[in-house]
Amino acid sequence: MTVAEGSQTRLAYLVETAIGVIPATPSWKSLRYTSESITLEKQTAIPDEIRDDRNVSDIVDVGRSVTGPINGVLSYGTYDDLFAALFCSDWTGDVLKNGRTPKTLAFEKTFEQGAADAYTRYRGCRINTLDLQLNAKQFITANFGVMGLGSPAPATAIIAGATYAAASTTPVLNAALNIGTLTMGGVAASPKLQAASIRINNNIYANEVLGQYETYSHGLGRFDVSGSVTALFENLDLYNAILNHDDLSLALTVGAATGAKYTLAIPKMKGMSGGPMVRGNNQSVIIEMPFQAKFDPTSAASMVLTRAVA
């Protein structure tokens, strides 16, 4: 028997045209990633029956659901389909705004096991969350949270006629050389940031129905954008903006080449708390500010993602 190696495991995806349906001859796209744990989660229940011998009477298999993260490092063009699914919207003129159009993906994992490989597939997958993390002089990480409808039986061969497009080869982006501009509006002087984290949450929920083993459908909750920034304490501008509950904004351009950059904009947000903090000897004073985005009428969105195309 051949033990599957993580370094040889392919993760591929496609955009579904019908929710929950993998095409008969799928055109998969290989995806760059650092780790993943998408799985078919078995849901069980134990009856609370009383026995005079104190034993568990039964363990009942009551359902299935697909969940798990896909973790990666940001690179241009790699996750554009996942971004569209996350924003529940289409790229329009290379601009993506949060909307309310359901978009689903299918995923396939290929495990190299010698003569007979193993394949697991997951259908009707939504991108529920994204966690972006930017730390000075480190890679920009992008971790997606997936929720799916179901998983066909595992297989030992590809789907007949399936094709596999190669993964992107664009440079991995870091928060030192690849930050073009980073500005915070609503303060007199844009603060210097040491770190920033952004979390997008669609608050997707499962609709379960009687007589169905797998999840019937998913519903869209509120599009929630939050996060935090760590700023060097150089003046009182940011602190006063927090205390005054002023409207703030955040705009970030990242990329390694002209015509291959993203600009992420949160046009309106509030600093929820924060103030100057002394971390100890031999360290600068900082302000850690958690934030929450809100709807911006001018942009007609809570978040806008723009890509530059060569």
Side-chain angles (χ1 to χ4, degrees):
M1 298 179 67
T2 302
V3 177
E5 301 287 352
S7 298
Q8 299 180 54
T9 301
R10 177 177 61 198
L11 177 63
Y13 78 96
L14 57 81
V15 178
E16 294 178 340
T17 55
I19 294 176
V21 178
I22 299 175
T25 53
S27 298
W28 299 102
K29 299 179 182 179
S30 297
L31 188 66
R32 295 163 68 176
Y33 70 109
T34 57
S35 65
E36 61 79 31
S37 58
I38 300 175
T39 186
L40 181 63
E41 181 179 331
K42 188 166 71 172
Q43 298 161 313
T44 59
I46 298 175
D48 197 19
E49 295 180 328
I50 298 172
R51 293 171 52 109
D52 60 5
D53 59 7
R54 302 190 306 114
N55 289 300
V56 172
S57 62
D58 201 359
I59 302 171
V60 183
D61 185 3
V62 298
R64 295 283 192 273
S65 65
V66 174
T67 60
I70 299 172
N71 303 317
V73 286
L74 188 62
S75 54
Y76 184 80
T78 298
Y79 301 117
D80 285 4
D81 290 329
L82 276 65
F83 288 148
L86 174 74
F87 277 65
C88 300
S89 187
D90 292 310
W91 289 94
T92 304
D94 295 312
V95 175
L96 190 62
K97 298 181 180 182
N98 59 285
R100 53 184 183 180
T101 302
K103 291 185 173 296
T104 58
L105 310 169
F107 290 96
E108 180 188 76
K109 290 189 276 189
T110 303
F111 302 96
E112 175 61 44
Q113 292 184 298
D117 295 340
Y119 299 82
T120 59
R121 302 179 183 106
Y122 309 90
R123 61 181 187 85
C125 295
R126 309 241 190 156
I127 304 299
N128 186 34
T129 61
L130 170 62
D131 289 288
L132 283 175
Q133 185 65 49
L134 298 93
N135 292 304
K137 297 186 177 180
Q138 294 184 27
F139 295 138
I140 300 172
T141 59
N143 299 328
F144 297 88
V146 175
M147 292 177 65
L149 292 176
S151 177
T156 56
I158 68 170
I159 297 174
T163 58
Y164 295 84
S168 70
T169 58
T170 50
V172 172
L173 302 176
N174 66 77
L177 295 174
N178 304 135
I179 299 292
T181 59
L182 198 164
T183 57
M184 183 178 293
V187 290
S190 185
K192 299 294 188 296
L193 302 184
Q194 287 189 328
S197 63
I198 300 171
R199 178 172 177 80
I200 302 171
N201 190 347
N202 278 307
N203 289 292
I204 292 172
Y205 55 91
N207 293 314
E208 310 291 1
V209 297
L210 294 175
Q212 183 148 330
Y213 190 52
E214 295 182 329
T215 298
Y216 173 69
S217 67
H218 288 121
L220 286 176
R222 186 170 62 186
F223 186 80
D224 189 8
V225 181
S226 60
S228 67
V229 296
T230 302
L232 295 176
F233 183 55
E234 295 183 298
N235 54 56
L236 288 169
D237 292 346
L238 182 58
Y239 187 37
N240 282 330
I242 296 169
L243 295 178
N244 296 331
H245 205 55
D246 292 335
D247 279 343
L248 301 172
S249 64
L250 184 66
L252 166 70
T253 298
V254 57
T258 301
K261 296 183 179 183
Y262 293 112
T263 298
L264 186 152
I266 302 173
K268 280 192 184 295
M269 67 183 196
K270 296 287 188 181
M272 305 303 285
S273 64
M277 297 171 53
V278 179
R279 296 179 289 181
N281 286 318
N282 310 316
Q283 298 183 71
S284 57
V285 176
I286 61 166
I287 293 180
E288 287 189 352
M289 184 192 76
F291 65 81
Q292 173 72 47
K294 66 176 186 175
F295 178 73
D296 173 45
T298 302
S299 303
S302 296
M303 177 176 282
V304 181
L305 183 63
T306 304
R307 62 186 177 189
V309 179

